[in-house]
Amino acid sequence: MSRFPKAHFLLSVAGSAQFPADSGHEVAFAGRSNAGKSSAINALTERKALARTSKAPGQTRLLNFFEVAPLQRIVDLPGYGYASVAATERRLWVALIDALRARQSLVGLFLIVDVRRGVGSRDAQLIDWARDADKKVHVLLSKADKSTRLERTVALKTAHNLLGSEASVQLLSVHDNTGVTAAQDLMVAWLSASAASSD
Ligand SMILES: Nc1nc2c(ncn2[C@@H]2O[C@H](COP(=O)(O)OP(=O)(O)OP(=O)(O)O)[C@@H](O)[C@H]2O)c(=O)[nH]1
Ligand SMILES: [Mg+2]
């Protein structure tokens, strides 16, 4: 039985005026295009196709809100680092996520990073973006099944060293379920009122 039996798509927004009311708690999922954001959302909510996944990068263009329980939301952010995105579109993206960051209900950011790529400069910028507004950050090193055990160990250690106390980090694979329960537990804690009101 899913821990989120009532999870459903709420709305897609292209501008902050369309955001849902800023009440309750929400967690944003961000990362490079194709990093596995939508797949992570589906795995954590135990839904096959709550967020759409794609083999073609850059498919999620809008900011998508999902309600996983009353007043508990997930936000799927458009991926970044996709070469063909025009400057205008990039500016719109920055404005959109800056408006998201200003929301009281935003508890933190789950940053999806392909384990084979590691934390890049755009990822680091996003971590600063979140930390500057006192939002928590948890890095999911995704597609862990695509790397060897040694590569996973090295990637985890490298990320730990780079992130220090700025963010927590773990491995994730939606294919072999590595880290899914741990990530889910953290998401549940962030979305619950008591965890969100402490630190
Ligand atoms: N092997 C493996 N493939 C994965 C995993 N997670 C995601 N993928 C694959 O990676 C591709 C991209 O996944 P998405 O979840 O659509 O990535 P996204 O970050 O939402 O992409 P955009 O929305 O386009 O930015 C898909 O082909 C997924 O099946 C994983 O844990 N293991
Ligand atoms: Mg996506």
Side-chain angles (χ1 to χ4, degrees):
M1 169 83 171
S2 166
R3 289 165 82 171
F4 303 102
K6 298 205 164 125
H8 63 276
F9 171 76
L10 200 59
L11 81 168
S12 286
V13 312
S16 56
Q18 301 157 331
F19 281 174
D22 188 8
S23 58
H25 301 103
E26 61 198 19
V27 175
F29 282 66
R32 284 183 67 95
S33 294
N34 209 42
K37 297 172 295 297
S38 300
S39 302
I41 290 174
N42 290 337
L44 267 55
T45 55
E46 298 168 33
R47 292 306 179 90
K48 278 203 176 64
L50 185 66
R52 288 203 296 173
T53 63
S54 172
K55 285 203 191 319
Q59 290 305 295
T60 316
R61 277 278 165 263
L62 302 163
L63 214 142
N64 293 312
F65 283 85
F66 303 90
E67 190 174 67
V68 296
L71 294 180
Q72 298 189 355
R73 292 174 302 274
I74 282 177
V75 196
D76 189 7
L77 268 62
Y80 47 84
Y82 191 45
S84 75
V85 172
T88 341
E89 197 171 333
R90 204 169 293 145
R91 273 197 299 276
L92 286 173
W93 188 84
V94 170
L96 197 58
I97 67 157
D98 276 352
L100 178 72
R101 181 175 72 166
R103 284 163 68 81
Q104 285 283 317
S105 47
L106 185 74
V107 180
L109 174 71
F110 272 32
L111 182 64
I112 322 301
V113 174
D114 189 318
V115 69
R116 298 161 303 173
R117 276 185 174 271
V119 177
S121 58
R122 295 290 300 275
D123 302 315
Q125 278 173 22
L126 205 60
I127 292 170
D128 289 343
W129 166 88
R131 298 297 297 153
D132 284 352
D134 284 328
K135 308 294 184 187
K136 302 169 204 272
V137 181
H138 185 62
V139 175
L140 298 173
L141 296 174
S142 66
K143 309 186 189 182
D145 58 284
K146 287 197 175 185
S147 59
T148 65
R149 213 171 135 185
L150 178 63
E151 285 165 344
R152 288 197 293 272
T153 308
V154 171
L156 199 53
K157 198 162 179 221
T158 306
H160 261 306
N161 290 343
L162 185 78
L163 300 167
S165 58
E166 291 301 292
S168 47
V169 58
Q170 66 157 94
L171 293 163
L172 184 82
S173 166
V174 306
H175 280 203
D176 67 15
N177 267 355
T178 301
V180 169
T181 307
Q184 233 181 7
D185 287 346
L186 186 66
M187 185 177 78
V188 168
W190 283 10
L191 288 174
S192 76
S194 54
S197 57
S198 67
D199 93 315

